[in-house]
Amino acid sequence: MEIKLKKLWVSFIVVSAITASALGEFGGPLVKGFYKESCPLAEEIVKHNVEVAVLKDPRMAASLLRLQFHDCFVLGCDASVLLDTHGDILSEKQATPNVNSLRGFEVIDYIKYLLEEACPLTVSCSDIIAMAARDSVFLRGGPWWEVYLGRRDSLKASFSGANQFIPAPNTSLEGLIINFKQQGLNIQDLVALSGAHTIGKARCLSFKQRIVQPNMLQTFYVDEFKRHSTFRRILRSQCKDSSRDNELSPLDLQTPAYFDNHYYINLLKGRGLLISDNVLVSEDHEGEIFKKVWEYAVDQELFFVDFVESMLKMGNINVLTGIEGEIRENCRFVNV
């Protein structure tokens, strides 16, 4: 326990050292301490309730982190992903990448309820998502960073955008690069943010193709010890047939409960769970991405620093501020 606490403290110090410059570069119209006067306990309320939710369900940390990805990649970081189908709005929750997959809505609902009790119509749902993602990473042993705040909530959702812009688990490397570029994110952001797969689980349906994938050239070394076939045999035993499509497997088999750099170590061994994970090493013909994967595999603190910078950058995609959008009273519906 003492070793774990020391690790957390080192991560905090390292990331804090780059926070000032990173926030200055990626904060944009968002600011530090946005709720300092209007709702001084906002971040504490979010943090406490994320902690309670993760203690009840450890997988919730990954779910809340994923929620920000799926929000920001569609329209921008505006909480459009939280809207239910109502009136003219067709919910993004029903889109293929999200349906029966995206989780954490009830946690956000409860946090919003408490914030409305404390500070009515003050804290946006989009800021709650951003804070919850940060707290989830830290609770699992990852870095802490200061979230720039001041986002406002959208008045619409985009069902078609969710189907178009959220990468599928079998996306090619070229497809991932194009997808991230559409969001203003570069190759380093792609590799760093993919590290979010160091926590969480995926359904058999998401990696079925990985089990039967004919291409065995998944790593940088000759598989003389049959690690590929052994790994796929483990996966095949979990996902024997279509009746088990909803069975879950950890995205990181080595340290599934901790936010660390084992995701990249797994990639170098050909043990990434999703096809879209493995393409980072199997389809990188230029070697730039492979080099970054290797750097993160041997240097966890470098991964933490780059992950934080990329999260800050992603958290600033097409944000609504000032008089744009609104502060929703209920995250599931636009205000009447």
Side-chain angles (χ1 to χ4, degrees):
M1 184 64 179
E2 183 180 352
I3 294 174
K4 186 64 180 173
L5 288 172
K6 285 181 179 178
K7 177 184 172 186
L8 287 172
W9 182 242
V10 169
S11 301
F12 176 79
I13 292 174
V14 170
V15 174
S16 294
I18 60 92
T19 297
S21 60
L23 289 175
E25 185 177 354
F26 302 124
L30 307 176
V31 298
K32 285 192 296 185
F34 185 80
Y35 299 110
K36 187 175 181 180
E37 294 183 4
S38 60
C39 194
L41 292 178
E43 293 201 52
E44 189 59 39
I45 289 172
V46 174
K47 176 186 172 185
H48 173 73
N49 286 281
V50 168
E51 187 171 5
V52 170
V54 171
L55 282 172
K56 289 181 179 177
D57 176 9
R59 184 181 163 216
M60 187 55 66
S63 298
L64 292 171
L65 175 57
R66 186 169 177 240
L67 202 54
Q68 188 177 21
F69 280 80
H70 285 229
D71 182 40
C72 293
F73 270 55
V74 182
L75 298 178
C77 306
D78 58 3
S80 61
V81 72
L82 301 180
L83 289 170
D84 284 348
T85 296
H86 183 74
D88 295 333
I89 293 175
L90 180 56
S91 177
E92 294 170 20
K93 297 174 185 178
Q94 301 306 312
T96 300
N98 297 335
V99 66
N100 298 323
S101 174
L102 208 56
R103 307 167 70 240
F105 300 112
E106 293 79 10
V107 175
I108 301 296
D109 286 341
Y110 185 63
I111 292 172
K112 178 60 173 173
Y113 166 77
L114 294 175
L115 287 169
E116 284 301 304
E117 289 283 302
C119 322
L121 294 175
T122 301
V123 182
S124 68
C125 300
S126 46
D127 275 346
I128 295 173
I129 291 175
M131 289 185 278
R134 182 268 313 276
D135 294 335
S136 295
V137 169
F138 187 64
L139 285 168
R140 294 287 89 190
W144 184 94
W145 64 95
E146 188 153 15
V147 178
Y148 262 34
L149 302 168
R151 299 168 188 79
R152 288 170 66 86
D153 302 322
S154 70
L155 302 173
K156 61 183 180 179
S158 179
F159 174 83
S160 60
N163 281 318
Q164 180 180 354
F165 295 115
I166 298 173
N170 61 348
T171 303
S172 68
L173 180 59
E174 181 182 6
L176 289 172
I177 292 171
I178 292 171
N179 183 275
F180 273 64
K181 188 175 181 180
Q182 289 172 327
Q183 308 299 336
L185 302 173
N186 59 31
I187 284 177
Q188 178 170 301
D189 298 318
L190 165 60
V191 182
L193 292 174
S194 293
H197 284 175
T198 185
I199 55 175
K201 297 181 179 181
R203 295 182 297 165
C204 287
L205 189 63
S206 300
F207 58 87
K208 260 187 171 181
Q209 287 177 271
R210 175 85 173 97
I211 299 173
V212 297
Q213 195 176 47
N215 178 19
M216 297 299 285
L217 300 176
Q218 294 294 312
T219 69
F220 68 98
Y221 62 84
V222 177
D223 187 30
E224 57 184 296
F225 297 111
K226 306 299 180 186
R227 289 181 177 125
H228 297 302
S229 53
T230 301
F231 178 58
R232 295 205 310 206
R233 193 158 54 244
I234 293 170
L235 298 183
R236 196 175 294 118
S237 69
Q238 294 175 329
C239 310
K240 293 178 181 178
D241 52 55
S242 58
S243 68
R244 306 187 73 172
D245 279 355
N246 289 319
E247 292 290 318
L248 299 170
S249 183
L251 288 162
D252 174 0
L253 283 172
Q254 296 301 113
T255 55
Y258 297 109
F259 192 98
D260 55 25
N261 66 335
H262 271 84
Y263 166 79
Y264 300 102
I265 296 171
N266 291 338
L267 290 187
L268 295 176
K269 294 179 178 179
R271 303 192 104 185
L273 186 65
L274 307 178
I275 289 177
S276 58
D277 291 326
N278 284 279
V279 295
L280 296 180
V281 292
S282 66
E283 295 183 9
D284 177 30
H285 306 301
E286 302 298 323
E288 178 185 356
I289 294 175
F290 176 84
K291 180 183 177 184
K292 186 58 68 174
V293 169
W294 179 270
E295 288 176 354
Y296 292 160
V298 298
D299 189 343
Q300 179 167 284
E301 298 306 333
L302 175 63
F303 162 50
F304 281 4
V305 168
D306 287 355
F307 180 80
V308 168
E309 290 199 10
S310 294
M311 285 294 289
L312 291 168
K313 193 172 174 183
M314 183 187 74
N316 200 39
I317 296 174
N318 295 331
V319 294
L320 303 174
T321 59
I323 60 172
E324 299 173 307
E326 66 179 9
I327 304 297
R328 287 185 214 141
E329 183 177 6
N330 182 329
C331 291
R332 292 176 180 263
F333 305 101
V334 297
N335 297 338
V336 177

